[in-house]
Amino acid sequence: MNRGNLVWTAGQATIGTAVRTVAPMRVYGAERVPRDGGVVLVLNHFSWLDPPAFGAASPRQFYFLAKAELHEVPVIGPLIRAFGTYAVRRGESDREAVRQMRRCVQDGNALGVFAEGTRQRSGVPGEVKPGAAMVALQEQVPVVCAAIHGSQFWKPGNFHPVSVAWGRPYVFDGLKANGKGYREASIDLQHRIHRLWRFLVDAHALGRPQHAVPPE
């Protein structure tokens, strides 16, 4: 087991347990996540709680992208780097970040991308940016969409429940790795995330049944 695996395992046991304690979690469809091979995990984003929550909900180790400014914050920067987080400069053409993302899946790893590029203050999933589709199309690896719900309402002390739903892995058949292909693929990703999120909204309204099958 390499250092990254050890950090991830330790994080699941410590940070993951803490997240499940302060934000009671329910996870749907985790068995859909491929256990090996390159894959892009396409995620929505409401809160700083989302990265550890998705990590706790994932059956395999994956690598995040995070804005470069976070890497410069004391304590937080070294922590996220220990988990293999890549730095990305938001709002800029960051070729190095794209190169790292592609290399991540080339090496057979799972890459986690907050597809909207930033937290959605409205509490509803937003527009999906082209980065996730770009990597999936260029490297011809599958994508798995996932949605989170409840973290937009969570605050320290309120213990609001949080749920995650995973979609099924799929590939972009018939789309080319160009601007048009990235746009079409991103629209498709956005629709899939919204369907998963609406499933979670309905599940919370029903009291979060233990067994429910999320949409694909």
Side-chain angles (χ1 to χ4, degrees), residues 58 197 214:
S58 174
W197 178 72

Side-chain angles (χ1 to χ4, degrees), residues 2-207:
N2 61 37
R3 181 175 180 273
N5 296 139
L6 289 172
V7 171
W8 182 267
T9 301
Q12 287 276 23
T14 55
I15 299 174
T17 299
V19 170
R20 295 186 188 94
T21 300
V22 302
M25 289 189 64
R26 184 62 51 85
V27 181
Y28 300 97
E31 71 281 356
R32 295 172 166 180
V33 180
R35 295 306 193 268
D36 52 45
V39 62
V40 180
L41 308 180
V42 188
L43 320 169
N44 71 307
H45 192 15
F46 292 133
S47 163
W48 62 266
L49 186 70
D50 297 343
F54 275 117
S58 174
R60 68 178 286 189
Q61 179 180 4
F62 65 93
Y63 298 86
F64 267 122
L65 292 177
K67 60 183 181 180
E69 294 86 347
L70 277 180
H71 286 255
E72 300 171 3
V73 176
V75 180
I76 294 178
L79 177 63
I80 63 177
R81 285 195 295 274
F83 282 92
T85 301
Y86 298 109
V88 60
R89 294 190 296 273
R90 291 190 303 175
E92 300 180 25
S93 176
D94 195 337
R95 294 183 179 179
E96 175 60 20
V98 173
R99 185 185 67 81
Q100 290 179 340
M101 292 163 65
R102 294 181 64 182
R103 185 174 63 188
C104 178
V105 297
Q106 286 170 1
D107 291 341
N109 298 313
L111 172 70
V113 180
F114 284 123
E116 302 133 319
T118 189
R119 289 180 290 174
Q120 302 302 296
R121 305 290 186 177
S122 67
V124 176
E127 178 186 359
V128 167
K129 305 303 182 185
M134 183 184 302
V135 174
L137 281 168
Q138 290 180 350
E139 297 304 323
Q140 298 183 330
V141 295
V143 298
V144 174
C145 292
I148 192 167
H149 178 64
S151 62
Q152 68 269 51
F153 308 120
W154 187 92
K155 294 180 180 179
N158 73 0
F159 295 94
H160 196 285
V162 172
S163 299
V164 171
W166 298 95
R168 293 191 184 279
Y170 72 103
V171 295
F172 294 116
D173 288 328
L175 293 183
K176 295 182 179 180
N178 56 26
K180 183 174 183 291
Y182 304 149
R183 287 191 296 272
E184 292 182 7
S186 297
I187 291 171
D188 182 56
L189 293 173
Q190 185 171 314
H191 289 164
R192 289 172 182 263
I193 287 176
H194 269 265
R195 285 198 296 270
L196 289 165
W197 178 72
R198 289 303 316 177
F199 161 82
L200 291 176
V201 171
D202 292 342
H204 276 233
L206 294 172

